[in-house]
Amino acid sequence: AGYGPGVAMLPPSRTSEASWSMSRFSNASEDVRPLIQLDPEGGSRQMIRYLDSGDGSGSPGSPMSPMGSAGSPSGWSSRQHQCHERTWGKWLLEEVMAASSILSLVFTCFIYNAVFLMVILPEVGKKHWVQPLAVVFNVTWVLTMWSYLQAHLQSPGAAPKEWREFVEQVGDALAVAQPRREWQPGQASFCRPCMTLRPERAHHCSICNLCVLRFDHHCPFVSRSRKQEVKNCIGFRNHKFFILLLVYGMLLAWIGLFSTFPEMIRFLAAFMNLHRGLPWPEAGVSKTSAGLFLMFDCIAVMFAMLFPPLVLVHLPLAANNQTTIENQYLNMPNPYNLGSTLANLTQLFGSPGWDWVLPIHPLHPVDDGVSFQRGDLDFGEAMRLSALDSPQDVEQLWQIRYQVSMSNLAKKFRQRSSNPCIGCLQ
């Protein structure tokens, strides 16, 4: 009440997390610069409403998120509440979609092996096909299920602790850009719902309610929940698994459909004859087994129609080193296109090797999710690779890629050494 209109206190649970990001805006543009005040009684940080700049949340110069009538904060907290409302509304649906994906894969594996290979093929005189089809189908099924579980269980990637420490260390020397729906290579931006600075190519998922490194999209089929909060997107750390899931899922559907197609026609005709009052023609195969087999083919047809369009969309994007969101950017040519499909795919799959075909994390990654190779600039191959193993090289690489002003950085360190209070406030 003592700070005038438009002042919103950060929720206590977010104060420590956001404190390092709130003071990073002294060199940002006026329309995204929050103002910091100190509570004379409790010393808690306060944030005056920052102004919008025409990104759809209001008009330039208009206040963002006024205080509620009861004095409750409405800036970050109201957007947090809206995100949770959307999460609760979709939680059950996404849980059902994820569970149905797993159950469909388990069902197809059981029916193909227990019914098609063990019962139908020997009955129709094709026993010699059992072993080769069993190897091909089951190997592909294992890779598909493995890829799904990796995409389902692995985190898409949030800003690491090292990034927050880097932001705190460089302070005002780090230029902060306003988030826009356009290419912003080598620029950190401020996430209003999370109240944090995020690196390039990171975006906020309103369903998961977190900023995801190299965010691609939120996929309900691979989502998982923790405490009723949907917690998975497709991002930097599980994008490889998602691509492999699409490829192996498409191959699995085609193998299952093409290998069973003659028998599918045969049993469809048998059920049609049974409907006309004719006797069941397949004495060695029960009607129950035949019905389960046709259910398998229905799922195979559905997957064979679902996966190819997804592969045709996401694989070319990966080959161009683009995400689904970035595919809409038109302000400049793709700055992350490295000039060849192989070089672009290494950004997700790591250096070429046998681990490309397995749903495991790259054995030799080429990026860290915070800074990315640029096709229009050369930061040095040796520095980029050594930075993945050395914290000192990582910091140096980030300073170069985010164009940290060394003069401002030196000035900040001098101020901290001469006046510790400034360091506490910043």
Side-chain angles (χ1 to χ4, degrees), residues 8-331:
M9 181 181 293
L10 289 176
S13 61
R14 302 289 290 194
T15 302
S16 59
E17 180 179 341
S19 60
W20 58 269
S21 67
M22 299 274 294
S23 59
R24 302 276 59 80
F25 291 87
S26 62
N27 64 334
S29 58
E30 292 291 339
D31 50 4
V32 296
R33 183 185 303 168
L35 303 178
I36 307 298
Q37 290 186 352
L38 194 64
D39 186 343
E41 296 181 358
S44 61
R45 290 183 180 270
Q46 310 289 326
M47 186 184 75
I48 297 180
R49 298 175 304 184
Y50 49 83
L51 304 180
D52 191 18
S53 61
D55 64 347
S57 303
S59 58
S62 63
M64 285 285 295
S65 306
M67 289 289 290
S69 57
S72 61
S74 58
W76 174 86
S77 59
S78 66
R79 286 186 293 274
Q80 168 90 341
H81 179 65
Q82 293 171 2
C83 289
H84 279 295
E85 286 184 336
R86 289 193 293 268
T87 299
W88 274 99
K90 294 183 178 180
W91 173 75
L92 180 60
L93 176 61
E94 298 204 2
E95 284 295 290
V96 171
M97 295 172 72
S100 63
S101 301
I102 296 177
L103 291 177
S104 297
L105 286 173
V106 174
F107 176 80
T108 55
C109 180
F110 174 76
I111 298 301
Y112 192 89
N113 286 277
V115 176
F116 177 66
L117 295 181
M118 303 300 295
V119 177
I120 294 179
L121 283 187
E123 180 64 25
V124 299
K126 297 182 179 180
K127 190 174 182 179
H128 58 282
W129 282 103
V130 171
Q131 289 186 354
L133 287 178
V135 172
V136 173
F137 180 87
N138 288 302
V139 168
T140 309
W141 184 90
V142 168
L143 291 172
T144 303
M145 177 60 84
W146 189 3
S147 300
Y148 179 85
L149 292 177
Q150 286 285 74
H152 176 71
L153 299 175
Q154 294 293 327
S155 168
K161 178 185 66 174
E162 291 78 10
W163 165 256
R164 297 194 294 270
E165 293 174 349
F166 170 76
V167 171
E168 176 67 20
Q169 179 180 1
V170 299
D172 298 341
L174 177 64
V176 179
Q178 180 175 351
R180 301 181 185 275
R181 295 186 177 181
E182 61 184 22
W183 294 109
Q184 293 181 307
Q187 295 182 2
S189 60
F190 179 68
C191 176
R192 294 175 177 177
C194 292
M195 286 297 196
T196 57
L197 285 183
R198 59 192 179 196
E200 58 178 336
R201 308 187 78 178
H203 294 277
H204 184 84
C205 176
S206 60
I207 299 177
C208 294
N209 194 32
L210 80 160
C211 284
V212 178
L213 299 176
R214 200 183 182 275
F215 178 72
D216 189 85
H217 70 284
H218 182 88
C219 182
F221 290 98
V222 300
S223 65
R224 74 189 192 279
S225 66
R226 289 182 179 176
K227 299 181 180 179
Q228 287 74 47
E229 294 184 15
V230 179
K231 283 292 183 183
N232 221 352
C233 307
I234 303 303
F236 175 73
R237 302 198 184 281
N238 65 350
H239 201 166
K240 172 190 175 181
F241 310 139
F242 178 75
I243 296 294
L244 291 179
L245 170 62
L246 297 183
V247 174
Y248 289 138
M250 180 180 66
L251 293 177
L252 182 68
W254 285 353
I255 292 171
L257 183 60
F258 292 151
S259 63
T260 62
F261 187 78
E263 286 70 31
M264 179 183 67
I265 300 300
R266 177 171 179 166
F267 284 103
L268 280 175
F271 274 106
M272 293 178 64
N273 291 334
L274 185 66
H275 182 70
R276 297 189 185 102
L278 299 177
W280 179 251
E282 304 293 342
V285 181
S286 67
K287 292 188 286 292
T288 301
S289 297
L292 292 174
F293 170 69
L294 291 180
M295 289 178 61
F296 164 86
D297 279 306
C298 289
I299 297 176
V301 169
M302 180 181 66
F303 284 175
M305 296 174 61
L306 172 67
F307 282 109
L310 294 176
V311 171
L312 292 176
V313 169
H314 289 278
L315 197 56
L317 288 176
N320 289 318
N321 200 5
Q322 270 183 300
T323 65
T324 304
I325 293 179
E326 293 169 347
N327 192 40
Q328 307 172 22
Y329 295 167
L330 302 174
N331 62 310

